[in-house]
Amino acid sequence: MSNLVLASHGSLAEGMKSALKMILGESIRVDAFGLDRWEQPQVILEEIIKLRNAEPDEEIIVLCDIKGGSVCNCMMQLCTDPKICVISGMNLGLALELSMISGGVSCREEIENAIKESKESIQYFDHTVMQSLTEAEEEKEELW
């Protein structure tokens, strides 16, 4: 089993953890580190290393808020450990998918599928899109 660690600017990680626990329950295994509390990416890195040292057999998936950001860039140092991977682009859909991966870092295919599903869930809606969807539904009903 793997441990999901959320790392972000501000309090995004802590908010994401709260949302995950609301949806999946208190038993979910997730840690959250945001710069509002931890102040420097290096401090977050040190906390994750402490987690790793406390449970050396556990795999860790680190989900960061944004590629190229100071937090993600700092967490990339963890990738020298074969039991740790870092993923950027934190959103609730991705966090949900990753939290349910049972195989951990070694299940690269599951992780890549979670990322793919998350990307596909990002959609744009406005009045023209809604009108097209409504028209498509009406046409579908006319066919039957």
Side-chain angles (χ1 to χ4, degrees):
M1 180 169 200
S2 65
N3 187 23
L4 179 61
V5 175
L6 308 171
S8 72
H9 293 83
S11 297
L12 179 62
E14 290 88 348
M16 193 70 60
K17 177 181 177 178
S18 173
L20 286 171
K21 288 191 173 272
M22 179 182 287
I23 295 167
L24 298 175
E26 289 298 319
S27 63
I28 185 171
R29 187 160 179 198
V30 61
D31 291 288
F33 302 97
L35 287 181
D36 274 353
R37 176 168 181 215
W38 300 96
E39 296 183 354
Q40 295 292 324
Q42 188 64 33
V43 177
I44 295 173
L45 179 69
E46 291 165 7
E47 290 299 315
I48 296 172
I49 291 169
K50 286 179 192 175
L51 288 174
R52 176 76 176 103
N53 291 338
E55 298 184 62
D57 294 331
E58 293 292 317
E59 295 184 338
I60 299 175
I61 298 172
V62 179
L63 179 56
C64 297
D65 55 356
I66 187 166
K67 176 184 172 187
S70 59
V71 175
C72 188
N73 287 347
C74 189
M75 297 311 110
M76 296 298 287
Q77 297 174 59
L78 296 166
C79 292
T80 57
D81 186 325
K83 291 190 175 190
I84 299 177
C85 72
V86 175
I87 300 167
S88 64
M90 182 188 302
N91 65 60
L92 185 54
L94 180 56
L96 283 166
E97 292 279 343
L98 294 174
S99 66
M100 293 187 278
I101 291 176
S102 59
V105 174
S106 57
C107 289
R108 184 178 180 145
E109 188 175 322
E110 283 186 69
I111 293 170
E112 288 175 350
N113 188 53
I115 293 168
K116 180 179 176 260
E117 291 291 324
S118 176
K119 286 179 183 179
E120 290 174 1
S121 74
I122 298 171
Q123 300 288 315
Y124 172 82
F125 295 98
D126 69 1
H127 70 283
T128 59
V129 173
M130 296 308 292
Q131 183 177 3
S132 296
L133 291 173
T134 302
E135 290 170 1
E137 279 297 312
E138 288 172 359
E139 287 178 18
K140 186 177 173 183
E141 289 177 13
E142 289 175 8
L143 293 175
W144 305 110

